[in-house]
Amino acid sequence: MAISPDDSLQSFQQYVKQTLKDRGFDDETVAQKFMLLLEEIGEFAHAARKRANIKVDETKWRDNEQNLHDEAADVFINLLDTCNKLDIDLAQAFLAKEEKNRKRTWR
């Protein structure tokens, strides 16, 4: 299954579902999926801290710019994977939530 930058969010979500199944990661529990998602969010935050010149362990990541992109992608993959496990169509959830947000009064 191939994917391109022009594909829909649903296509990305289906791609992640199939790819992780092909790689043998489809038997993890929701709790395991959330732990992986949180781990990746932490790694993304660490890379973002480094870009913001906040002190970090310099030996951990040498090519921070590439790592920042990789960690953002890992967060996206794990979010889609968690949504798949919970039977959430993320595109539809986003649209429904944004409809609620548009009706709110922001100050």
Side-chain angles (χ1 to χ4, degrees):
M1 180 176 197
I3 194 100
S4 77
D6 296 326
D7 284 335
S8 68
L9 182 54
Q10 284 103 345
S11 295
F12 278 94
Q13 195 165 343
Q14 184 57 40
Y15 174 82
V16 166
K17 183 176 188 173
Q18 186 59 52
T19 300
L20 293 180
K21 181 179 180 185
D22 293 347
R23 294 176 185 166
F25 292 105
D26 58 329
D27 62 343
E28 294 172 325
T29 66
V30 171
Q32 289 170 315
K33 303 269 184 205
F34 268 110
M35 283 186 276
L36 286 168
L37 176 59
L38 292 172
E39 180 180 332
E40 295 300 343
I41 290 170
E43 291 175 1
F44 184 41
H46 186 92
R49 282 183 49 181
K50 188 169 181 181
R51 180 192 260 188
N53 294 318
I54 299 171
K55 291 181 183 178
V56 295
D57 177 4
E58 289 292 330
T59 62
K60 185 159 184 174
W61 292 316
R62 301 254 186 254
D63 182 4
N64 190 62
E65 212 46 42
Q66 182 59 52
N67 189 62
L68 185 64
H69 292 234
D70 289 348
E71 296 306 335
D74 282 344
V75 168
F76 183 63
I77 291 165
N78 280 282
L79 175 61
L80 294 179
D81 187 29
T82 303
C83 288
N84 284 337
K85 192 70 171 182
L86 294 168
D87 295 319
I88 295 170
D89 178 329
L90 189 55
Q92 290 300 317
F94 173 85
L95 293 171
K97 179 61 176 174
E98 192 51 29
E99 181 62 29
K100 290 178 187 177
N101 287 342
R102 277 197 294 271
K103 295 175 183 174
R104 290 183 174 165
T105 302
W106 301 95
R107 295 183 186 193

